[in-house]
């Protein structure tokens, strides 16, 4: 939609092909239906949050950064607000308001929207000449592929764009999920299925080296972990198969070890004559207690007043470093974004035009670049769509 709007604003005669029954199907589910439109930061802030091929986006972001995106949507009549982490949302908390504003702008610019799917590109003498749809053929001096990745395939992200790009001679780097739930090793996560933790600390370890920290919410599932922190952590785990990964949770981040030990002593005094397994209800959620007891090595039926200092220290380490070995990510279909795509060395970073085929452009998730959570992935879509749309229309004039 952004690519079509941008091309039309520069005077291009534009036709938008959309295989879904309505526009913005994937956009409408982003941010849990609220749509984290962008991040209220400058180009440098944006680039710092793109671990995969961020430098490629320097030109696009320098011309259209998060603040430009905000100005664009507010000019279309969508009031925006900035929340924690500079995340930008519609004041209404409705993703539909963003997609509806884009659709209105398309109609105001007179862009026809046809229900069809591009099945093939016609390329002659090194230039794109037409797109063959399932319904008919569309002659074109330029084609912009903005088909998304392969996550959430029910929204239309089926990988068709990657197939067309490959047929045009482009390299498609391996496609996998990013911002994706994680599968845990062993059965502990399944034992705690449905438990949601809030205000806990998290550290990601790659081969025993700490590579990322976070604070927030985590959800245990039958397969492992999900929730905001797990999704963010997954973006830093890029070498499964070559390296090992684990999460360590600090279940009591507000307390250092000395303060937590005092808290344990206080609780143990309260439950002095109880079995150990029945003495942690003030400290941990019920579903977590059997796992924590097991990991501490303290016999569950040992009386609390018999627990030694060394045993208490073992429990303290469990609470401050609750380890979750990660077997790998969930399938890419479960991911919020796709990592991998059209190799960026084969694309002009200023125009998003193919270096192999004149008049062929790319925008959004089809490209091999992805970001952390916080509005950065949608900003990639806006900035690359803007660059591709402008360049396609301007090339037509030349």
């Amino acid at each position: 939609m952004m690519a079509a709007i941008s091309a039309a604003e520069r005077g291009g005669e534009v036709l938008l092909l959309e295989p879904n029954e309505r526009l913005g199907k994937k956009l409408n589910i982003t941010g849990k239906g609220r749509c984290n439109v962008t991040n209220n930061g400058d180009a440098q802030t944006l680039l710092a949050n793109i671990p995969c091929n961020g430098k490629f986006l320097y030109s696009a972001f320098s011309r259209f950064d998060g603040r430009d995106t905000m100005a664009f949507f507010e000019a279309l009549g969508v009031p925006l607000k900035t929340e924690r982490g500079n995340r930008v949302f519609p004041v209404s908390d409705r993703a539909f308001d963003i997609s509806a504003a884009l659709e209105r702008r398309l109609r105001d610019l007179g862009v026809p929207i046809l229900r069809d799917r591009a099945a093939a590109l016609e390329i002659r003498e090194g230039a794109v000449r037409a797109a063959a749809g399932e319904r008919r053929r569309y002659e074109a001096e330029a084609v912009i592929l903005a088909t998304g990745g392969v996550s959430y395939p029910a929204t239309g992200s089926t990988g068709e764009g990657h197939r067309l790009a490959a047929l045009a001679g482009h390299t498609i780097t391996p496609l996998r999920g990013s911002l994706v739930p994680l599968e845990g090793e062993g059965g502990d996560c399944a034992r705690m299925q449905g438990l949601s933790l809030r205000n806990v600390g998290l550290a990601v370890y790659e081969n025993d080296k700490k590579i990322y920290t976070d604070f927030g919410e985590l959800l245990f599932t039958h397969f492992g972990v999900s929730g905001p922190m797990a999704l963010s952590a997954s973006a830093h785990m890029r070498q499964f198969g070559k390296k090992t990964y684990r999460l360590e949770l600090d279940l009591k981040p507000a307390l250092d070890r000395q303060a937590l030990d005092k808290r344990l002593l206080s609780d143990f005094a309260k439950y002095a004559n109880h079995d150990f397994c029945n003495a942690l209800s003030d400290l941990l959620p019920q579903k977590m207690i059997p796992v924590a007891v097991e990991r501490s090595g303290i016999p569950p039926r040992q009386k609390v007043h018999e627990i030694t200092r060394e045993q208490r220290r073992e429990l303290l380490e469990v609470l401050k470093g609750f380890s979750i070995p990660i077997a790998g990510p969930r399938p890419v279909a479960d991911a919020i974004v796709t990592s991998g795509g059209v190799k960026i060395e084969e694309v002009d970073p200023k125009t998003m035009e193919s270096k192999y085929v004149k008049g062929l452009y790319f925008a959004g998730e089809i490209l091999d670049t992805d970001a952390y959570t916080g509005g950065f992935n949608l900003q990639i879509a806006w900035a690359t769509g803007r660059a591709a749309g402008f360049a396609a229309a301007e090339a037509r004039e030349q």
Side-chain angles (χ1 to χ4, degrees):
M1 287 190 278
M2 179 61 90
I5 287 167
S6 302
E9 286 179 350
R10 286 291 166 96
E13 188 181 338
V14 184
L15 177 63
L16 193 156
L17 300 186
E18 171 59 66
N20 287 326
E21 67 279 1
R22 63 162 298 120
L23 293 170
K25 195 169 182 181
K26 193 169 190 178
L27 184 62
N28 287 336
I29 64 169
T30 60
K32 297 180 180 176
R34 295 175 64 215
C35 189
N36 186 179
V37 185
T38 186
N39 193 277
N40 187 356
D42 58 16
Q44 292 303 322
T45 302
L46 300 175
L47 292 170
N49 284 277
I50 298 173
C52 183
N53 296 323
K55 287 182 180 176
F56 170 77
L57 296 163
Y58 181 84
S59 177
F61 282 167
S62 66
R63 286 175 290 153
F64 200 77
D65 63 17
R67 289 156 190 172
D68 294 318
T69 296
M70 293 176 70
F72 175 86
F73 281 105
E74 291 189 321
L76 294 184
V78 185
L80 301 174
K81 59 183 176 179
T82 301
E83 298 187 357
R84 181 179 60 85
N86 281 329
R87 291 167 161 85
V88 178
F89 293 89
V91 169
S92 65
D93 285 329
R94 283 164 39 95
F96 178 77
D97 289 353
I98 297 295
S99 60
L102 292 169
E103 198 164 347
R104 280 197 306 275
R105 183 61 178 151
L106 285 165
R107 299 199 187 284
D108 289 346
L109 290 164
V111 176
I113 301 163
L114 291 188
R115 184 98 182 269
D116 201 355
R117 182 188 299 275
L121 299 177
E122 287 186 23
I123 298 167
R124 293 192 304 275
E125 298 172 357
V128 69
R129 305 295 182 182
E134 292 174 344
R135 291 171 54 190
R136 64 183 179 88
R137 177 178 176 275
Y138 306 94
E139 285 194 12
E141 294 174 53
V143 171
I144 302 172
L145 290 179
T147 54
V150 291
S151 57
Y152 294 129
T155 64
S157 297
T158 59
E160 277 294 288
H162 296 117
R163 182 184 66 81
L164 295 176
L167 288 172
H170 280 278
T171 307
I172 308 301
T173 62
L175 304 174
R176 60 173 188 80
S178 185
L179 305 183
V180 63
L182 297 165
E183 295 188 355
E185 292 181 359
D188 282 352
C189 290
R191 291 168 67 188
M192 297 181 284
Q193 179 180 349
L195 172 62
S196 179
L197 299 178
R198 293 173 182 267
N199 302 322
V200 295
L202 175 142
V204 176
Y205 286 84
E206 179 183 83
N207 286 357
D208 293 325
K209 178 185 176 184
K210 187 189 291 187
I211 59 169
Y212 174 70
T213 59
D214 200 359
F215 177 85
E217 297 179 34
L218 190 84
L219 173 69
F220 290 101
T221 70
H222 67 284
F223 58 77
V225 287
S226 187
M229 284 205 302
L231 299 180
S232 295
S234 73
H236 300 264
M237 302 176 172
R238 294 180 175 267
Q239 298 192 63
F240 281 109
K242 294 180 181 177
K243 298 187 178 181
T244 60
Y245 293 93
R246 76 177 189 277
L247 307 180
E248 281 197 5
L249 302 181
D250 184 346
L251 301 174
K252 299 294 173 184
L255 303 176
D256 62 19
R257 278 172 165 73
Q258 188 175 1
L260 181 56
D261 195 43
K262 286 182 180 177
R263 166 71 192 273
L264 287 176
L265 285 169
S266 172
D267 279 16
F268 284 2
K270 178 180 177 181
Y271 293 103
N273 295 316
H274 288 67
D275 293 344
F276 173 57
C277 62
N278 296 324
L280 300 177
S281 55
D282 293 351
L283 198 66
L284 292 172
Q286 202 60 42
K287 278 191 175 182
M288 193 170 234
I289 290 173
V291 178
V293 167
E294 198 173 281
R295 291 188 177 198
S296 74
I298 302 171
R301 294 299 171 189
Q302 182 173 334
K303 295 300 181 185
V304 171
H305 64 78
E306 297 173 352
I307 291 174
T308 66
R309 181 184 296 175
E310 289 73 23
Q311 286 177 315
R312 196 174 73 243
R313 189 176 295 120
E314 287 297 318
L315 175 61
L316 191 147
E317 292 306 318
V318 170
L319 299 175
K320 295 298 283 184
F322 191 91
S323 181
I324 306 168
I326 301 299
R330 291 291 285 171
V332 66
D334 294 350
I336 292 178
V337 297
T338 304
S339 182
V342 176
K343 193 173 184 179
I344 50 100
E345 288 82 3
E346 301 170 358
V347 180
D348 185 324
K350 291 183 179 177
T351 63
M352 300 298 142
E353 186 175 21
S354 164
K355 292 181 179 179
Y356 298 161
V357 180
K358 187 172 175 53
L360 178 61
Y361 298 81
F362 303 100
E365 205 175 341
I366 192 173
L367 292 159
D368 180 18
T369 181
D370 63 276
Y372 301 141
T373 184
F376 302 106
N377 286 289
L378 271 180
Q379 180 57 34
I380 293 173
W382 309 133
T384 56
R386 198 77 170 156
F390 282 172
E394 287 164 2
R396 175 179 166 274
E397 295 168 6
Q398 294 169 6

